[in-house]
Amino acid sequence: MNYNEMLAVAFAEAQAGFNEGGVPVGAALFDADGKLLSRGRNRRVQDNDPSVHGETDAFRKAGRQTSYRDKILVTTLAPCWYCSGLIRQFNISTVVVGESVNFTGHLDWLREAGVKIVELNDAACIDLMSRFIAQSPQIWFEDIGEGCC
Amino acid sequence: MNYNEMLAVAFAEAQAGFNEGGVPVGAALFDADGKLLSRGRNRRVQDNDPSVHGETDAFRKAGRQTSYRDKILVTTLAPCWYCSGLIRQFNISTVVVGESVNFTGHLDWLREAGVKIVELNDAACIDLMSRFIAQSPQIWFEDIGEGCC
């Protein structure tokens, strides 16, 4: 499984979100053979919709699946509680994380629940997210439910 | 605060979902004064969208909020991990739960995170959900990411 190629799909979503002025978190869902099922990105700004994180957008766009135990979710940024809860509830087996520098997420909580976590510590993901947080901190903190500024 | 009146709004959503053939979980978001901000229901069946639980639908429909620390989320059924993660990430202060008999959820996890939980143990919520699970177990288990039948 080429996790870096899979991350490139999620990163393209994040970059598109950044170009739209949105929170640059992208995600993609793959099956056990590495076939792309769906891709998505955070749309808080674009759609004025706080429920659409990168992970939930990719999850939605894959439609109804009988099981996620053989699915791989790739995300550019460590998942927040909302998206970690999604992963745990639907028993997504593997999560590939672009970076956990700008947001640490809850990777140990997922590991303890039996989720395989693959951390890529990707420089491009770190750079894009840090640029966004620097330029739009109020949107970023709104997106994770924290007060700001 | 009249929590039973608030639950009636969420229950009307659940009943509408049941009548549509959907998973009958409804939710509503209120501000600190008890003013209704939004209402929603599970739409897995209706929209073929696995990302729309009752709680996430109400959250979405309230639009972008600066803070949820003064908000009250009312739901007919104890929240799953996905919706519990939403509550925790966005620091929703109070969650009113219609019932936790058909699905126990993770209420202690939320309490430990500082969320005020109000359990109403409502007979109508219990009855509606149990009828749905009995008639459509495969949809119910799909909705919580469990294998079935």
Side-chain angles (χ1 to χ4, degrees):
Chain A
M1 205 62 70
N2 190 324
Y3 293 131
N4 284 298
E5 278 185 13
M6 296 162 108
L7 180 63
V9 177
F11 183 77
E13 290 287 325
Q15 183 69 63
F18 184 86
N19 296 348
E20 293 163 348
V23 180
V25 179
L29 195 69
F30 296 85
D31 72 11
D33 298 323
K35 181 186 160 201
L36 179 67
L37 298 176
S38 62
R39 50 197 292 169
R41 58 181 178 268
N42 187 301
R43 295 177 183 277
R44 169 176 295 271
V45 172
Q46 298 92 318
D47 295 351
N48 234 18
D49 187 340
S51 77
V52 187
H53 278 195
E55 298 91 327
T56 62
D57 196 35
F59 179 80
R60 157 180 284 165
K61 287 177 174 162
R64 290 167 62 180
Q65 302 280 333
T66 308
S67 173
Y68 297 87
R69 289 184 193 277
D70 58 347
K71 306 296 186 294
I72 302 165
L73 179 67
V74 182
T75 176
T76 57
L77 184 66
C80 72
W81 278 126
Y82 174 37
C83 298
S84 296
L86 176 84
I87 292 160
R88 182 157 175 180
Q89 186 63 47
F90 291 97
N91 297 299
I92 297 173
S93 69
T94 303
V95 177
V96 178
V97 178
E99 64 116 336
S100 58
V101 174
N102 286 295
F103 184 73
T104 56
H106 311 282
L107 301 178
D108 284 342
W109 186 78
L110 288 171
R111 285 190 187 97
E112 285 161 19
V115 180
K116 177 180 174 182
I117 303 289
V118 179
E119 292 195 76
L120 295 181
N121 198 26
D122 183 83
C125 289
I126 295 170
D127 178 62
L128 185 65
M129 197 68 214
S130 62
R131 283 163 56 207
F132 179 77
I133 294 173
Q135 80 179 29
S136 301
Q138 71 290 356
I139 299 176
W140 166 241
F141 285 104
E142 179 190 307
D143 197 57
I144 53 169
E146 301 289 347
C148 163
C149 317
Chain B
M1 205 62 72
N2 191 325
Y3 293 130
N4 283 298
E5 277 185 14
M6 296 163 109
L7 179 63
V9 177
F11 183 76
E13 289 288 323
Q15 183 69 63
F18 184 86
N19 296 347
E20 293 163 348
V23 180
V25 179
L29 195 68
F30 295 85
D31 71 11
D33 298 322
K35 182 187 160 199
L36 179 67
L37 298 175
S38 62
R39 50 198 292 168
R41 60 181 177 266
N42 186 301
R43 296 179 182 277
R44 169 177 295 271
V45 172
Q46 296 93 318
D47 295 352
N48 235 19
D49 186 340
S51 77
V52 188
H53 278 194
E55 298 90 327
T56 62
D57 197 34
F59 179 79
R60 156 179 284 164
K61 287 177 174 162
R64 290 167 62 181
Q65 302 280 333
T66 309
S67 172
Y68 296 86
R69 289 183 193 276
D70 59 346
K71 305 298 186 293
I72 302 166
L73 179 67
V74 182
T75 175
T76 56
L77 184 66
C80 72
W81 277 126
Y82 173 37
C83 297
S84 297
L86 175 83
I87 291 160
R88 183 158 174 179
Q89 187 63 46
F90 290 97
N91 297 299
I92 296 173
S93 68
T94 303
V95 178
V96 178
V97 178
E99 66 116 335
S100 59
V101 174
N102 286 295
F103 184 72
T104 56
H106 312 283
L107 301 178
D108 284 343
W109 185 77
L110 288 171
R111 285 189 187 98
E112 285 161 17
V115 181
K116 177 181 174 183
I117 302 289
V118 179
E119 293 196 75
L120 295 181
N121 197 28
D122 182 85
C125 289
I126 295 170
D127 178 63
L128 185 67
M129 197 66 213
S130 61
R131 283 163 57 206
F132 179 77
I133 294 172
Q135 80 178 30
S136 301
Q138 71 288 358
I139 299 175
W140 165 241
F141 285 104
E142 179 190 308
D143 196 58
I144 54 169
E146 301 289 347
C148 161
C149 316

